[in-house]
Amino acid sequence: MSKSNLKQAVFPVAGLGSRFLPVTKSIPKEMLPIIDKPLIQFAVEEAIEAGIEEIIFVTSHTKKAIEDYFSMNYELEHRLKDAGKSEVVEIIHPKYLDEIKFSFIRQSEPNGLGHAILQAKHIITDDFFGIILADDLILSEPGCLKQLLEIHEKTQSSVLGVFSASENQVSNYGVISSKNIDGVEKVDGIVEKPKPADAPSNLAVFGRYILSKNIFLNIEQTKPGLNNEIQLTDAIQDLILNEDVFALEFEGRRFDCGSKEGYISAIIDRASSIDKFKSIIEK
Ligand code: G1P
């Protein structure tokens, strides 16, 4: 595991997953499988690749499956061992389960992304921490958080992952305005889900952030914004007034698995890289 100066990452997973009902009535949307591996595992492994040592899930009472998934299942492991299937044990109990610290905090009520992140305030010890929204699946080498980390190491500042959105996508995201300074985009404004005509650019923030822990002070001051929720975007707009914030257009394939189209595309993409499924895709 690589040593990095970014050790903690917050995973807000308390959302209701209403776009995927009925399955999300009893299964967290983060547990939806991309063939046989849940979305949350891709996100956790991306964080570990960037050197994260503590993952903090901001969760709700309906998300117990996530807690179970990152714990040991004694009965299953013993049965598999007795049956001589140690290679399957390695799949269900990767080494990092013993090396990484998993913390769980309950968000009492869903009240926006900013409010979810604020729940982790008392656990964050370092000056900067990562945020991963697991329904944004990013397949890239190096992983997306690691790409953001490179910019953070250069600038010692907050970094937002962004992508070039089409005109009809901008109203689903936080959208930045920025200036290119020595090859890095320095953010000078950010708005939550603007109408296409009001969007300051086409650079939209997706589910990867490295933020200064001063963001907690900004979130505490943030009044309810869009949809009457405490928006992380509004707190970042305040952070920019006091600190540098940069943006990185990541390199890789991104699937917005919060939408059915994105989810299906992710499954097809993964299947097409596995020999035995290729012929099914090509039919
Ligand atoms: C949230 C943020 C938004 C960001 C998006 C990325 O929106 O509020 O700024 O662009 O995540 O996925 P949500 O998708 O939760 O509506």
Side-chain angles (χ1 to χ4, degrees):
M1 203 184 308
S2 60
K3 281 273 164 214
S4 99
N5 62 10
L6 190 74
K7 299 211 166 50
Q8 297 176 299
V10 180
F11 284 52
V13 293
L16 296 174
S18 2
R19 282 195 282 175
F20 274 88
L21 284 168
V23 65
T24 45
K25 184 180 168 196
S26 61
I27 292 173
K29 66 174 174 174
E30 296 80 9
M31 289 301 295
L32 291 177
I34 304 300
I35 304 184
D36 52 5
K37 183 164 151 177
L39 279 169
I40 193 76
Q41 189 174 354
F42 286 92
V44 162
E45 289 172 359
E46 182 188 321
I48 292 171
E49 185 203 343
I52 294 293
E53 294 172 9
E54 180 176 7
I55 288 176
I56 300 146
F57 292 105
V58 178
T59 178
S60 73
H61 67 285
T62 58
K63 304 286 177 132
K64 203 177 155 288
I66 297 178
E67 230 168 302
D68 291 343
Y69 195 74
F70 293 102
S71 308
M72 186 178 177
N73 182 331
Y74 286 95
E75 189 192 345
L76 184 57
E77 285 190 26
H78 281 120
R79 280 175 187 267
L80 287 167
K81 266 185 206 145
D82 289 349
K85 295 187 173 164
S86 48
E87 72 290 354
V88 189
V89 175
E90 276 167 39
I91 294 173
I92 63 158
H93 190 144
K95 259 172 105 193
Y96 61 75
L97 278 196
D98 307 316
E99 296 167 350
I100 299 296
K101 190 167 174 198
F102 293 96
S103 308
F104 298 85
I105 312 171
R106 287 277 178 97
Q107 186 182 16
S108 47
E109 35 156 2
N111 193 14
L113 183 57
H115 181 260
I117 300 301
L118 185 59
Q119 310 309 305
K121 180 184 174 192
H122 64 289
I123 298 194
I124 299 297
T125 48
D126 295 343
D127 290 344
F128 290 90
F129 64 98
I131 299 175
I132 292 193
L133 309 186
D135 51 10
D136 252 329
L137 172 65
I138 319 262
L139 300 176
S140 64
E141 273 178 41
C144 189
L145 192 64
K146 199 166 181 186
Q147 294 181 36
L148 261 61
L149 186 59
E150 276 172 32
I151 304 298
H152 167 70
E153 280 169 348
K154 259 190 223 156
T155 59
Q156 293 300 313
S157 303
S158 300
V159 187
L160 316 177
V162 295
F163 73 103
S164 290
S166 63
E167 201 182 329
N168 57 9
Q169 282 179 316
V170 287
S171 51
N172 295 326
Y173 296 95
V175 179
I176 64 162
S177 58
S178 59
K179 281 193 191 67
N180 193 293
I181 297 179
D182 298 332
V184 191
E185 290 298 316
K186 185 165 180 292
V187 181
D188 50 35
I190 181 167
V191 295
E192 179 69 358
K193 302 188 176 136
K195 292 194 185 100
D198 301 331
S201 76
N202 69 338
L203 290 180
V205 175
F206 60 93
R208 302 294 182 277
Y209 307 72
I210 292 177
L211 289 178
S212 145
K213 79 167 175 206
N214 291 333
I215 194 71
F216 293 123
L217 305 174
N218 296 112
I219 300 174
E220 281 167 341
Q221 303 291 321
T222 298
K223 304 227 158 43
L226 192 71
N227 302 329
N228 213 21
E229 292 177 337
I230 306 293
Q231 298 294 345
L232 182 62
T233 297
D234 295 342
I236 295 174
Q237 174 58 44
D238 289 340
L239 184 73
I240 291 167
L241 305 177
N242 298 313
E243 290 184 13
D244 288 349
V245 174
F246 293 89
L248 174 73
E249 228 180 310
F250 77 104
E251 281 177 33
R253 306 193 304 291
R254 168 178 173 268
F255 302 94
D256 174 5
C257 294
S259 79
K260 289 176 185 158
E261 294 79 358
Y263 178 61
I264 294 165
S265 306
I267 293 175
I268 293 172
D269 185 274
R270 180 148 189 249
S272 61
S273 69
I274 302 174
D275 279 346
K276 64 179 175 187
F277 298 137
K278 269 186 196 157
S279 58
I280 304 174
I281 304 285
E282 281 156 13
K283 257 186 203 161

